[in-house]
Amino acid sequence: MTVKKPITPKPSWLKVRAPSGENYTRIKEMMSDLKLATVCQEARCPNIGECWSGGTATIMIMGEVCTRGCRFCNVKTGNPKGVLDPFEPEKVAYSVSQMSLEYIVITTVDRDDLPDQGAEHFSRTVTTLKKLAPNLIVEILAGDFRGDQNLVNQLTDAKPDVYAHNVETVERLTPKVRDPRAGYRQSLRVLEMVKERDATRYTKSSIMLGLGESDEEILQTLKDLRGVGCDVVTFGQYLQPTPRHLKVVDYVTPEKFQEWQKVAEGMGYLYVASGPLVRSSYRAGEFFMKGIIEKKKAAELNKELNNVF
């Protein structure tokens, strides 16, 4: 007789309230009516209640099927066979511009089935959105484009206010955690390319904890990210979305997350969000970045006015 191993219960600090509230309901209904996909729902983000109640969300473009098969991610994997809505950039831009938001995150599935991996489609979404909502702050969470600098440059030239790309985990665990086409060094290089193309773009990355990484490896990852000019980093607890995904090796305590926040802040990161339920698009970071970006825009406007007069 096979004896099933008992399931390790989640710690109390990982429990969240069921999503509710007027804003949450409004955004949920609007997403449904406009047929917009959100990574909040697809990836079963634990912060969906907090973020949507606060009036923010992460829109996912280019469909709901990803060509990559990362072992931590709950987004569907498959081959979209080149299917793409050519009018999606305009539809998404118009829809988001009607939502009375101040900060939006646009992300996407990987589209290795497309000749340009969706770079033109993604960049057009950003530029169209900025035309329709010039005061909206736009953060993008993009894939690695298999390290193609021309494609990274194309998206950088769309001028998102924040360009995020996640390393996800430490270098040793990358082959086990991420799709074989993804690479730790390749991800670092993507962030470096953005800065090389436009040093004024803010870059951002995220690290999951609880996959078996050591403190030394986390520290090295932080050093590597700063080495390519990464401005913002977030830490969050990995949670196994389904039985077929990677198991959680350990649950990191809130105190340990606080320690990593202090370490990263001491290394010169512009902003650090660190906690068990923090995700790469965590809204606390959005408010911080919003303040920084608005201050930067005001300084640029004053400079232009001084040049005129």
Side-chain angles (χ1 to χ4, degrees), residues 216-235:
E216 292 76 13
E217 289 173 321
I218 298 171
L219 184 59
Q220 185 59 53
T221 303
L222 288 172
K223 291 178 180 178
D224 290 341
L225 287 170
R226 282 300 294 145
V228 295
C230 187
D231 299 299
V232 179
V233 67
T234 67
F235 296 92

Side-chain angles (χ1 to χ4, degrees), residues 252-267:
V252 181
T253 65
E255 291 74 22
K256 188 67 175 178
F257 275 104
Q258 289 177 4
E259 287 180 23
W260 282 120
Q261 177 160 348
K262 291 178 181 177
V263 169
E265 288 173 345
M267 295 173 69

Side-chain angles (χ1 to χ4, degrees), residues 70-284:
C70 297
R71 297 188 64 204
F72 67 89
C73 183
N74 194 49
V75 175
K76 299 170 188 173
T77 298
N79 183 0
K81 299 180 180 179
V83 175
L84 194 65
D85 179 357
F87 303 109
E88 184 182 45
E90 289 73 28
K91 290 177 182 177
V92 168
Y94 175 76
S95 298
V96 172
S97 71
Q98 302 302 303
M99 294 175 70
S100 302
L101 299 176
E102 295 181 340
Y103 196 115
I104 188 72
V105 182
I106 306 291
T107 189
T108 178
V109 291
D110 283 292
R111 291 298 302 265
D112 299 280
D113 59 311
L114 298 172
D116 72 345
Q117 300 171 64
E120 190 277 334
H121 190 93
F122 202 160
S123 61
R124 185 154 54 93
T125 302
V126 176
T127 54
T128 306
L129 181 54
K130 282 189 158 288
K131 286 178 182 177
L132 294 180
N135 294 322
L136 183 69
I137 294 173
V138 180
E139 175 181 325
I140 62 168
L141 175 57
D144 58 21
F145 296 107
R146 298 203 295 269
D148 189 320
Q149 187 159 5
N150 289 330
L151 301 181
V152 175
N153 287 348
Q154 185 174 354
L155 193 48
T156 305
D157 290 346
K159 298 196 177 301
D161 297 289
V162 182
Y163 194 127
H165 173 65
N166 295 338
V167 293
E168 307 293 4
T169 188
V170 300
E171 186 168 17
R172 175 179 60 85
L173 295 176
T174 295
K176 176 183 178 183
V177 173
R178 301 175 70 189
D179 185 275
R181 285 163 288 187
Y184 180 81
R185 293 291 159 182
Q186 182 167 273
S187 286
L188 289 174
R189 179 63 186 136
V190 166
L191 292 165
E192 187 174 42
M193 288 175 190
V194 176
K195 286 293 188 181
E196 288 175 352
R197 185 68 170 184
D198 185 351
T200 67
R201 295 306 102 195
Y202 293 109
T203 53
K204 178 179 177 181
S205 198
S206 183
I207 306 168
M208 296 180 291
L209 302 186
L211 287 162
E213 65 287 329
S214 68
D215 285 359
E216 292 76 13
E217 289 173 321
I218 298 171
L219 184 59
Q220 185 59 53
T221 303
L222 288 172
K223 291 178 180 178
D224 290 341
L225 287 170
R226 282 300 294 145
V228 295
C230 187
D231 299 299
V232 179
V233 67
T234 67
F235 296 92
Q237 170 71 53
Y238 167 66
L239 297 174
Q240 184 182 17
T242 73
R244 66 182 176 83
H245 289 84
L246 286 172
K247 293 182 179 179
V248 176
V249 175
D250 57 354
Y251 289 110
V252 181
T253 65
E255 291 74 22
K256 188 67 175 178
F257 275 104
Q258 289 177 4
E259 287 180 23
W260 282 120
Q261 177 160 348
K262 291 178 181 177
V263 169
E265 288 173 345
M267 295 173 69
Y269 283 93
L270 188 63
Y271 178 71
V272 182
S274 182
L277 292 173
V278 167
R279 294 296 178 264
S280 59
S281 301
Y282 189 60
R283 65 186 296 264

